[in-house]
Amino acid sequence: MPAPHSPAAERNQQPILEQLQRLLPAQGQALEIASGTGQHARHFVAGLPGWLWQPTEADPELLHWLRQPPRPARWRPPLPLDVAQPDWGLGEARFELVYCANLLHIAPWACCAGLMQGAARHLAPQGRLITYGPYLEAELPTAPSNLAFDADLRARHPAWGLRALADVAAEAARAGLRLSERVAMPANNLLLVFSAAGS
Ligand SMILES: C[S@@+](CC[C@H](N)C(=O)[O-])C[C@H]1O[C@@H](n2cnc3c(N)ncnc32)[C@H](O)[C@@H]1O
């Protein structure tokens, strides 16, 4: 069976990498949530030469593929991780970046609290949580493509759907994180940067 491939990840990986290169320090350790096919992880670790990358995934089948060679340089063995679990199984590990793309709309809402609380537990003092994906914003009209995507997600699973940015930011605040930057990305996606509230 061929390895799973995401055309969307192929399209968005370079614009996201350029933002990571702008936002991040030269060196650090990254924890990726919901690595999926691993396309982002492989692209980013190549474009961020001072970074170690820890891919993770909740789906055992995708985790199997993530573990297949070739293993890129500065890539830690992929780990199972479900954001909804209260313990992510990482012990006391701290990361300068927690990165999560395209999860919140395709998982139950409780995963947002899980992501925020887990990121707060595992971020290094000056670390950042960066998320990427489509969101709803009360003060801005939602693009027709995102409205159609939202309807399609809700038809596939009643607990899925695009999340309101204000709700996501409120969940972050409950975990002690503040939304420090919102970057408009191609195809009506947003890259969001969260930092520890006191930093
Ligand atoms: C649309 S894919 C995004 C994959 C990749 N991040 C990307 O942007 O190409 C959604 C991913 O979320 C993962 N996922 C779903 N529920 C999860 C959970 N509770 N914890 C962690 N990952 C989860 C799925 O297994 C899948 O890999």
Side-chain angles (χ1 to χ4, degrees):
M1 205 200 329
H5 179 81
S6 162
E10 193 74 42
R11 287 192 296 275
N12 61 33
Q13 62 186 10
Q14 186 58 26
I16 299 172
L17 173 60
E18 287 167 14
Q19 291 301 323
L20 296 180
Q21 288 169 330
R22 176 180 73 80
L23 288 160
L24 297 175
Q27 295 179 346
Q29 302 198 39
L31 172 68
E32 182 178 9
I33 308 299
S35 296
T37 61
Q39 285 165 251
H40 279 172
R42 289 172 192 273
H43 191 70
F44 299 163
V45 82
L48 295 167
W51 282 72
L52 283 177
W53 206 266
Q54 174 64 71
T56 72
E57 185 35 67
D59 179 330
E61 200 172 313
L62 287 168
L63 189 60
H64 164 79
W65 283 111
L66 283 170
R67 286 173 163 161
Q68 298 307 303
R71 181 190 292 187
R74 294 171 286 101
W75 160 285
R76 291 187 160 154
L79 294 173
L81 192 154
D82 177 344
V83 282
Q85 294 302 313
D87 180 351
W88 284 2
L90 300 169
E92 299 296 310
R94 300 276 176 162
F95 300 84
E96 285 72 29
L97 169 67
V98 176
Y99 169 78
C100 180
N102 294 313
L103 167 68
L104 295 179
H105 56 275
I106 208 153
W109 172 241
C111 285
C112 183
L115 174 66
M116 296 304 171
Q117 288 163 21
R121 280 194 308 275
H122 289 289
L123 277 176
Q126 302 301 321
R128 277 171 274 195
L129 165 67
I130 297 184
T131 69
Y132 170 91
Y135 298 87
L136 303 172
E137 292 180 278
E139 62 282 7
L140 294 176
T142 306
S145 58
N146 275 352
L147 285 175
F149 186 37
D150 184 47
D152 177 62
L153 287 166
R154 290 177 195 280
R156 285 163 62 193
H157 197 298
W160 293 0
L162 266 59
R163 307 304 178 190
L165 176 53
D167 293 344
V168 174
E171 205 59 68
R174 275 191 276 279
L177 300 175
R178 74 185 159 87
L179 178 59
S180 53
E181 195 168 336
R182 167 203 178 278
V183 185
M185 299 292 285
N188 303 302
N189 288 288
L190 295 179
L191 185 133
L192 303 177
V193 183
F194 299 88
S195 316
S199 68

